[in-house]
Amino acid sequence: MIQRILMLALVLLAFTMPIEAITFQELKTSPQFKLVHQHEYEKPSAIVNDGGMYVYLNTYSVEVQKYAPPQYTLSAIYYVVHTSHYQAEIMENKLTVNYDANYSLATLIKSSNMMNPSPSMLALIEASESKSGLFMSSTDSAIYTLDGALKRTPSLKNTRNLPIHRKNILMYDLADAMFMAAYQQHFDDIVVQ
């Protein structure tokens, strides 16, 4: 009798487990996914003959981990899609970004104006490029085919901890899109008083 109950519970559990697979079509059409970066391959070659790379943010997955202005921490799921003959897959990643609004562009401009009434634009650009106030850690989660079939899950949780520079447009735009989804304003628009 107990075996039957356990077996029934196991069957019910198996049918109610959520399936996290994602398709390229769903990424393109669902409003919860925001296209953050797009790069179409320009020159066909022997290896890459067509397609492109697309980065989508799951805006519904953005979670506030820390809210202590001027310090913020957000986490979210993002997808990197490769659509070439050589590599056709969707890579799911979890991203955590630490934001320090003391280095937002608006704060840098305000503090520069207070210290030097006529700051040079070159000094502002150098200050903004040396520190963006953003630090990220990204973890690989899963890899799917374009039609959503699970290809593999990484055996090792590969986590990378890196600063995000404004020159790294892809990651900077992804971090800004996360901030916009959580707080309805761009990170660089915040002024620390």
Side-chain angles (χ1 to χ4, degrees):
M1 181 69 174
I2 293 177
Q3 279 184 324
R4 286 184 180 174
I5 292 173
L6 288 176
M7 191 60 106
L8 181 61
L10 185 63
V11 169
L12 288 175
L13 182 64
F15 285 114
T16 60
M17 288 180 134
I19 295 176
E20 299 291 329
I22 191 84
T23 66
F24 187 39
Q25 185 63 32
E26 185 179 359
L27 289 170
K28 292 190 295 188
T29 58
S30 176
Q32 85 182 62
F33 301 106
K34 176 180 175 38
L35 179 63
V36 175
H37 181 79
Q38 174 178 343
H39 175 77
E40 299 287 334
Y41 301 133
E42 295 173 12
K43 287 187 174 179
S45 70
I47 297 173
V48 180
N49 57 0
D50 62 351
M53 182 185 85
Y54 310 90
V55 178
Y56 290 89
L57 172 66
N58 181 346
T59 58
Y60 294 1
S61 74
V62 176
E63 294 179 3
V64 176
Q65 302 295 324
K66 176 182 176 185
Y67 179 81
Q71 307 289 322
Y72 307 87
T73 301
L74 300 174
S75 64
I77 304 274
Y78 73 99
Y79 300 90
V80 178
V81 181
H82 295 279
T83 61
S84 69
H85 175 71
Y86 175 72
Q87 183 181 19
E89 63 188 13
I90 301 169
M91 294 183 289
E92 179 183 82
N93 302 290
K94 181 171 174 120
L95 178 67
T96 301
V97 180
N98 297 306
Y99 302 80
D100 185 350
N102 288 311
Y103 297 100
S104 74
L105 205 49
T107 301
L108 290 174
I109 291 169
K110 180 184 175 194
S111 63
S112 180
N113 285 335
M114 290 173 73
M115 296 169 113
N116 181 3
S118 59
S120 74
M121 190 54 81
L122 184 60
L124 277 173
I125 291 170
E126 285 175 358
S128 73
E129 287 179 355
S130 65
K131 279 200 169 182
S132 67
L134 302 177
F135 195 84
M136 64 164 256
S137 65
S138 180
T139 306
D140 301 334
S141 297
I143 299 174
Y144 303 98
T145 62
L146 295 180
D147 62 357
L150 182 65
K151 262 179 131 171
R152 67 184 176 274
T153 27
S155 56
L156 296 172
K157 289 294 182 180
N158 186 12
T159 302
R160 298 168 296 283
N161 295 308
L162 303 166
I164 302 175
H165 299 285
R166 285 184 173 84
K167 291 179 184 178
N168 185 345
I169 295 169
L170 191 155
M171 294 311 290
Y172 193 84
D173 287 351
L174 187 57
D176 189 53
M178 288 170 60
F179 201 86
M180 186 67 150
Y183 301 115
Q184 287 72 49
Q185 66 182 31
H186 294 284
F187 168 73
D188 273 331
D189 293 343
I190 295 176
V191 178
V192 174
Q193 302 299 329

